[in-house]
């Protein structure tokens, strides 16, 4: 995949449960991924109100994929899978 779009929810629930730790994810990207990952902070993605998605903090990837209980490590792993085609 050429590029990955990452939307990090910064609504209250997600922020309190760790979204703040992901806001600098761009700084943690390996050199070869730089410029291929678009990161946006979003207001509540309205996923926290739904009980069956796994829990905040939530990240939306490429507009459709939802990552629940997201962490910087999980997010970097998934970005790598998408960019390197290992998914
Ligand atoms: S606060 Fe993140 S989905 Fe609502």
């Amino acid at each position: 995949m050429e590029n990955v779009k990452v939307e990090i929810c910064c609504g209250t629930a997600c922020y309190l449960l760790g979204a703040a730790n992901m806001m600098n994810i761009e700084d943690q990207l390996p050199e070869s991924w730089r410029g291929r990952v678009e990161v946006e902070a979003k207001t509540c993605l309205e996923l926290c109100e739904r009980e069956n998605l796994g829990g905040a903090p939530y990240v939306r990837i490429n507009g459709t994929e939802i990552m629940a209980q997201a962490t910087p490590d999980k997010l970097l792993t998934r970005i790598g899978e998408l960019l390197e085609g290992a998914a």
Side-chain angles (χ1 to χ4, degrees), residues 38-71:
E38 181 188 335
V39 179
E40 266 184 58
K42 305 295 270 194
T43 54
C44 179
L45 296 172
E46 298 183 7
L47 301 167
C48 56
E49 298 158 11
R50 292 159 56 181
E51 290 178 4
N52 58 347
L53 293 179
Y58 290 104
V59 174
R60 190 162 56 202
I61 300 169
N62 289 337
T64 52
E65 180 181 329
I66 302 300
M67 177 181 286
Q69 296 183 325
T71 64

Side-chain angles (χ1 to χ4, degrees), residues 6 8 17-30 33 57 59 61 67-80:
V6 172
I8 299 170
L17 288 169
N21 297 330
M22 289 178 284
M23 294 314 297
N24 69 345
I25 199 80
E26 279 179 297
D27 298 338
Q28 300 176 46
L29 297 174
W33 298 356
V59 174
I61 300 169
M67 177 181 286
Q69 296 183 325
T71 64
D73 282 351
K74 271 174 76 171
L75 188 52
L76 286 169
T77 298
R78 186 61 183 137
I79 291 169

